[in-house]
Amino acid sequence: MDNFDSLSISMATVGRSLSGATNKGLNIPALLRKCGIDARLLESPQTRIPIQKFIKLCRLSSDRLNDEQYGLLAKPQRLGTYRAICVNVVHAKTLGDALLRYIEFSNLFENSLAYQLNVQGRRCELQIRRRDNMPVLNDFAIDTALMVVHRFSNWLINERIALQGVRIDYPSPAFHEHHYLFYGSPVLTSQAYSALEFDSAYLERPIVQNEAKLAGYLKEAPANLYLPLSESGQFSLQVRHILSEMPDHLTAKTALRDTSAALGFSPDTLRRRLKQEGTSFQSIRSTMRRELAIHYLASSSDSIEKIAYKTGYTEPGAFIRAFKNWTGATPLQFRKQLER
């Protein structure tokens, strides 16, 4: 859990997560005290606390309520429900099959949220809609549901799925964590439904995990929801960290050599370590360039030419071709879609 050392979360999010426990009559000050959190901080929603304390609180709330959704849905999601779903899903052959299984088994429980997969060409949406007459006590449940399926999908294929966009069906609350929870992906609020949008090419990725490894993954829950990056392997995480600290490395010809040196490895050793984690240096670097491009298009008014330069392209034409290959749309089309 060394990745958590510098991570924090707002008390606004802590308060949202406790809506179910409050509704069920749990002693909230005692619950917070057991996790090393001063209950008075709930009156200061902008205050941030270490993420480890929040994870401990989530586990404690879930155990006390016997509910993996913290009392936020119409019916409790009993402890062990998520494991039962994952055991069935992990035996799928491809991510597309896995998501269909995930949706089928999740919908069998007929709780507040209904899942659906919508594929149109290169665009894939995993949608979450609220069922009629089945309330959601707090929108934190929507965030959690989206994060759970995204992180689990990443783990299944041992690759970070770059989100082209996130939809949420409610107005963004004060001190929201959406930029952090969804890794800087564009987030559209007050939508007709909630969804994760990504390239449908991911659906063809083979499942590389198995039931034996699933126990370790579930043991870390919900900590694995709040990792700053969703690469599964420790060397993938370290490479991403180095590249994010030194953005020039995203395009430099000496990037592999310099990154290897920073880790104390030879380039061949780093290639071998990354291959064992099911990825490569070039794959990680390409993913980060794609994410950076999407981020700039969504959050800035920079011209396409300027974004091309920022993401390491010397001329806009090459950037436009690469972006269309990534997303199925040109940068201008993608930006117009976001504006709509």
Side-chain angles (χ1 to χ4, degrees):
M1 293 317 220
D2 293 341
N3 295 310
F4 288 2
D5 288 349
S6 61
L7 297 180
S8 63
I9 203 156
S10 71
M11 285 301 296
T13 301
V14 174
R16 294 171 66 213
S17 75
L18 287 171
S19 299
T22 302
N23 187 54
K24 298 294 183 182
L26 267 60
N27 186 332
I28 300 302
L31 205 63
L32 291 168
R33 189 162 54 247
K34 196 170 183 65
C35 300
I37 304 171
D38 189 336
R40 291 173 294 183
L41 293 179
L42 288 172
E43 300 174 8
S44 303
Q46 75 279 7
T47 302
R48 304 186 69 82
I49 63 168
I51 199 73
Q52 299 99 319
K53 294 184 178 182
F54 179 60
I55 290 166
K56 184 176 181 180
L57 176 65
C58 289
R59 288 172 175 164
L60 188 58
S61 300
S62 182
D63 288 344
R64 293 281 177 87
L65 295 168
N66 189 20
D67 185 352
E68 294 174 338
Q69 275 286 3
Y70 316 115
L72 299 177
L73 303 184
K75 298 187 293 187
Q77 182 169 300
R78 303 297 183 190
L79 299 182
T81 302
Y82 182 58
R83 180 186 180 280
I85 295 172
C86 292
V87 166
N88 283 282
V89 170
V90 78
H91 294 287
K93 298 299 183 183
T94 66
L95 180 63
D97 293 336
L99 288 176
L100 289 176
R101 290 191 186 195
Y102 188 96
I103 289 167
E104 179 185 3
F105 283 100
S106 297
N107 288 342
L108 279 176
F109 294 99
E110 294 187 341
N111 213 334
S112 300
L113 306 178
Y115 295 76
Q116 181 179 333
L117 193 66
N118 184 20
V119 183
Q120 295 181 353
R122 291 287 300 271
R123 180 173 173 270
C124 178
E125 269 193 348
L126 192 145
Q127 301 175 358
I128 298 179
R129 297 176 183 267
R130 304 182 193 227
R131 295 181 189 268
D132 294 337
N133 304 317
M134 298 192 79
V136 175
L137 186 62
N138 192 285
D139 296 324
F140 179 76
I142 302 293
D143 294 345
T144 302
L146 291 170
M147 290 164 61
V148 165
V149 70
H150 180 229
R151 307 308 195 263
F152 185 50
S153 297
N154 293 339
W155 179 79
L156 285 170
I157 63 173
N158 197 28
E159 181 180 350
R160 181 180 181 185
I161 297 173
L163 298 176
Q164 295 174 2
V166 178
R167 296 175 180 270
I168 55 173
D169 64 358
Y170 62 91
S172 184
F175 310 110
H176 66 80
E177 304 280 354
H178 291 144
H179 182 81
Y180 162 54
L181 298 180
F182 300 114
Y183 304 137
S185 304
V187 177
L188 302 178
T189 62
S190 302
Q191 300 294 294
Y193 55 87
S194 299
L196 303 174
E197 183 177 333
F198 52 92
D199 192 325
S200 60
Y202 284 111
L203 300 178
E204 302 301 320
R205 299 286 203 275
I207 302 302
V208 299
Q209 307 292 359
N210 55 48
E211 191 172 341
K213 296 178 181 178
L214 180 61
Y217 178 81
L218 294 175
K219 185 178 179 181
E220 295 296 328
N224 38 28
L225 298 184
Y226 297 97
L227 279 170
L229 300 170
S230 59
E231 299 284 357
S232 298
Q234 69 177 74
F235 297 108
S236 301
L237 280 167
Q238 290 172 353
V239 167
R240 288 189 62 104
H241 176 71
I242 290 170
L243 290 176
S244 65
E245 290 292 310
M246 296 181 283
D248 289 346
H249 280 32
L250 286 174
T251 55
K253 293 181 179 179
T254 59
L256 175 61
R257 185 188 68 196
D258 295 343
T259 304
S260 303
L263 290 170
F265 298 142
S266 69
D268 286 343
T269 298
L270 180 57
R271 286 193 192 96
R272 188 167 60 251
R273 297 286 176 87
L274 292 174
K275 186 177 181 180
Q276 290 170 350
E277 294 181 355
T279 188
S280 67
F281 183 83
Q282 184 57 36
S283 176
I284 294 172
R285 187 165 66 163
S286 178
T287 298
M288 292 183 70
R289 292 174 80 177
R290 177 172 65 231
E291 293 165 355
L292 196 62
I294 289 172
H295 172 70
Y296 285 135
L297 285 168
S299 62
S300 78
S301 58
D302 290 346
S303 67
I304 303 302
E305 290 78 7
K306 189 170 184 179
I307 293 174
Y309 176 76
K310 283 184 173 182
T311 50
Y313 290 88
T314 55
E315 61 98 13
F319 168 66
I320 292 169
R321 289 191 295 273
F323 192 86
K324 189 169 184 179
N325 184 54
W326 293 333
T327 66
T330 67
L332 186 58
Q333 289 169 338
F334 186 83
R335 176 172 270 171
K336 287 182 177 179
Q337 288 171 5
L338 290 179
E339 290 172 353
R340 285 198 298 270

